[in-house]
């Protein structure tokens, strides 16, 4: 699962698009690629849906690895791997007791990317508590609309839409 992170090593390319074998590209990715060109972000992904019966908090839903766009960077990969090697993971409390971790894939690339670009990044920004492991705060990720760029846990009949045609993330 962590093999996906090796996409950060493909520095001969301006961007790398990772697509899961079960994903289909039904329209051009120009909008995402253009956003990445104009942004300091090194990654774009959608979030998975929260576990059934829970409200998505940003901590209980991970990075959906079905469609990920990365700007390769050895420095960024080194930073992610440093955090992966030094952050404690608890199945109940998540990465470094941040709460990021109660979803499928939490111990793999989905979990570490969600923690690194989420709770860990926010902690670095405020330098609150704990030991600062990195010298620079990573840029915020571009979060893609899960109704357009994800099919994680989609319904067989309606896909990512509910029976009324609204996205299942609760947004119209």
């Amino acid at each position: 699962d962590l093999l996906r992170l090796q996409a950060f090593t493909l520095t001969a390319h301006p961007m790398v698009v990772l697509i899961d074998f079960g994903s289909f590209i039904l329209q051009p990715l120009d909008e995402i690629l253009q956003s990445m060109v104009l942004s300091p972000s090194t990654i774009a992904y959608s979030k998975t849906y929260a576990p059934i019966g829970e409200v998505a908090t940003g901590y209980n839903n991970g990075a959906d690895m079905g469609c990920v766009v990365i700007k390769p960077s050895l420095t960024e990969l080194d930073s992610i791997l440093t955090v992966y090697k030094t952050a404690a993971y608890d199945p109940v409390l998540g990465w470094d007791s941040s709460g990021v971790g109660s979803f499928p894939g939490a111990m793999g690339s989905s979990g570490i990317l969600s923690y690194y670009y989420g709770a860990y990044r926010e902690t670095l920004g405020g330098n609150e508590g704990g030991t600062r492991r990195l010298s620079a705060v990573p840029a915020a990720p571009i979060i893609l609309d899960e109704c357009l760029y994800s099919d994680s846990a989609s319904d067989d009949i309606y896909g990512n839409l509910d029976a009324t045609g609204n996205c299942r993330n609760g947004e119209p």
Side-chain angles (χ1 to χ4, degrees), residues 49 146-148 150-163 166-169:
Y49 291 99
E146 66 266 29
C147 281
L148 297 176
S150 170
D151 64 355
S152 248
S154 63
D155 183 282
D156 289 338
I157 296 172
Y158 299 108
N160 286 340
L161 305 178
D162 65 16
N166 291 325
C167 182
R168 293 188 317 134
N169 66 3

Side-chain angles (χ1 to χ4, degrees), residues 27 29 31-32 46 64 67 144-151:
Q27 60 188 15
L29 298 175
E31 183 180 340
I32 300 171
S46 64
D64 186 330
C67 178
L144 305 173
D145 182 338
E146 66 266 29
C147 281
L148 297 176
Y149 299 103
S150 170
D151 64 355

Side-chain angles (χ1 to χ4, degrees), residues 3-171:
L3 184 61
R4 292 177 174 128
L5 298 180
Q6 291 303 306
F8 281 100
T9 67
L10 302 174
T11 57
H13 305 282
M15 280 181 263
V16 176
V17 179
L18 299 173
I19 301 291
D20 263 357
F21 68 91
S23 297
F24 294 96
I25 298 175
L26 300 176
Q27 60 188 15
L29 298 175
D30 295 355
E31 183 180 340
I32 300 171
L33 300 177
Q34 186 65 26
S35 295
M36 289 291 289
V37 166
L38 299 174
S39 170
S41 296
T42 56
I43 193 165
Y45 56 80
S46 64
K47 300 288 275 180
T48 60
Y49 291 99
I52 295 173
E54 294 183 29
V55 175
T57 63
Y59 294 101
N60 64 349
N61 56 337
D64 186 330
M65 302 309 292
C67 178
V68 179
V69 180
I70 291 173
K71 285 183 190 171
S73 164
L74 296 177
T75 304
E76 191 80 355
L77 176 62
D78 185 53
S79 296
I80 293 167
L81 292 178
T82 296
V83 171
Y84 184 78
K85 292 174 190 174
T86 58
Y89 179 80
D90 181 275
V92 175
L93 301 175
W95 290 95
D96 273 349
S97 301
S98 66
V100 177
S102 61
F103 51 86
M107 288 183 66
S109 53
S110 176
I112 193 60
L113 292 175
S114 295
Y115 173 63
Y116 178 79
Y117 288 106
Y120 182 73
R121 185 181 142 286
E122 292 163 10
T123 300
L124 278 181
N127 201 18
E128 301 165 2
T131 304
R132 196 174 176 128
R133 294 187 190 102
L134 304 176
S135 59
V137 178
I142 295 174
I143 302 298
L144 305 173
D145 182 338
E146 66 266 29
C147 281
L148 297 176
Y149 299 103
S150 170
D151 64 355
S152 248
S154 63
D155 183 282
D156 289 338
I157 296 172
Y158 299 108
N160 286 340
L161 305 178
D162 65 16
T164 63
N166 291 325
C167 182
R168 293 188 317 134
N169 66 3
E171 300 173 10

